[in-house]
Amino acid sequence: MPPTTSPSHIKAVRVEKFGPPDVITLGDIDCPVPGAGEVLIRVNAAGVGPWDAWIRAGKSLLPQPLPLTLGSDLSGVVAACGPGVAAFRPGDAVFGVTNPKFTGAQAEYAIADAGMIALKPPSLDDIDAASIPVVAVTAWQALFEQAKLTRGQTVLIHGAAGNVGAYAVQFARDAGLHVIATAGPADMGYVGCLGAPTVIDYRAGRFEDSVTAADAVIDLVGGDTQTRSFAVLKPGGVLVSAVSEPDQALAARHDVRAAFFLVHVATEPLRRIAAMAVRGALRTNIGAVLPLAAARTAHEMLEGTRPHPRGKIVLRVGG
């Protein structure tokens, strides 16, 4: 594929002040230039996730100087490479995230750290690819880097119908784990189709009445669900949460390990996830596809003021 060229100015989804969705604007900015270890990507699609809403509202755990361009998940084509980048070249189709601050993707062109993207297989559509990185790598790291689960072990996944949970179920199934999942009554069939042989309706009863001696719990819900989950772990088991810091004293009383983590998207898990998608072992779930100019609508969907189907929201940018 021939190298691409970049314009001097681009459209970007901007936040000049923190607040509700109506602070979002679509504005013109200078096209960014990649520095050392970075690539410039012509964006074809950009994902929208809850973290975007936290950043927009000024509630991010990370410092976010204003003004900023929203977005982290993306799929597109490398337009230019900064010094020291050897793994990619102009014309490569790639997907991944922009940077550890989760900003900059929802634009016609975006800068990404070279270590946070991977080559996109030709069979993986840009919309699907942009829906994957943050949520899928969160699930991957929870199971295999944090809980360190191996074939034959038992894992309980809370919030299995959510975007992270759906990937966790599929990764666990593919790795030969025994999967138990919790979901609401309307989502039990969906979670079962993803590969969970046992799905518990959390509204109909207490999951701890059905689960014992699990090797790990992947907590994507928090609160009382997290607290009650310690009782279902075997001694030496582990509770991994992507939503809140577990009670370490409670973990010690149950003789288990407990950890909270923030995802770090990197090339290697992206490669593994892409390989699963290529061989048909991974199902993405797109809830809505909107144009870049409708980013404010996407945030209204995130906040529940505008309905949308279950699944990831993706902005179609170019391509």
Side-chain angles (χ1 to χ4, degrees):
M1 192 173 186
T4 63
T5 58
S6 56
S8 59
H9 295 86
I10 61 170
K11 296 289 186 184
V13 175
R14 302 287 284 171
V15 170
E16 305 283 340
K17 62 179 181 179
F18 296 125
D22 62 11
V23 302
I24 295 172
T25 61
L26 184 67
D28 291 318
I29 62 170
D30 291 340
C31 187
V33 177
E38 297 178 335
V39 299
L40 176 67
I41 297 172
R42 188 187 74 224
V43 181
N44 288 335
V48 182
W51 52 91
D52 295 317
W54 302 334
I55 292 170
R56 182 213 73 227
K59 298 178 180 178
S60 172
L61 294 176
L62 304 171
Q64 300 288 0
L66 293 171
L68 59 82
T69 298
L70 288 169
S72 56
D73 290 318
L74 52 70
S75 180
V77 176
V78 174
C81 297
V85 175
F88 305 99
R89 61 184 182 181
D92 284 343
V94 295
F95 78 116
V97 303
T98 48
N99 55 59
K101 287 192 173 184
F102 286 35
T103 57
Q106 293 168 16
E108 292 174 321
Y109 284 76
I111 296 292
D113 290 0
M116 302 180 78
I117 60 173
L119 292 173
K120 183 185 75 66
S123 60
L124 186 61
D125 176 83
D126 277 306
I127 297 296
D128 287 322
S131 77
I132 287 173
V134 170
V135 290
V137 175
T138 298
W140 183 275
Q141 291 180 337
L143 289 164
F144 306 121
E145 297 181 16
Q146 296 291 324
K148 301 184 185 303
L149 289 165
T150 57
R151 181 174 295 275
Q153 291 187 299
T154 297
V155 60
L156 171 63
I157 300 170
H158 289 307
N163 287 326
V164 176
Y167 282 114
V169 169
Q170 294 178 85
F171 295 154
R173 172 211 64 203
D174 191 68
L177 302 176
H178 176 57
V179 184
I180 305 170
T182 61
D187 294 320
M188 293 180 67
Y190 167 66
V191 173
C193 288
L194 294 174
T198 303
V199 185
I200 299 170
D201 179 355
Y202 72 87
R203 293 183 182 175
R206 295 172 64 83
F207 60 84
E208 57 266 51
D209 294 336
S210 304
V211 184
T212 58
D215 293 286
V217 172
I218 305 301
D219 167 41
L220 305 171
V221 176
D224 181 61
T225 295
Q226 182 187 98
T227 302
R228 290 159 47 205
S229 292
F230 286 102
V232 310
L233 287 165
K234 63 169 49 172
V238 57
L239 183 148
V240 175
S241 179
V243 293
S244 62
E245 182 68 49
D247 185 332
Q248 295 299 327
L250 191 56
R253 287 201 296 272
H254 284 87
D255 190 24
V256 299
R257 183 168 62 89
F260 166 73
F261 80 105
L262 294 174
V263 64
H264 174 69
V265 179
T267 300
E268 185 54 33
L270 287 171
R271 285 176 178 162
R272 291 173 177 260
I273 292 163
M276 280 187 65
V278 168
R279 62 182 169 87
L282 193 66
R283 171 179 170 180
T284 60
N285 186 23
I286 309 300
V289 179
L290 303 171
L292 184 66
R296 186 181 295 180
T297 299
H299 278 247
E300 292 168 351
M301 291 176 170
L302 287 175
E303 303 223 329
T305 58
R306 187 186 293 265
H308 74 92
R310 174 182 56 214
K312 189 70 181 283
I313 304 168
V314 179
L315 302 177
R316 189 185 299 278
V317 184

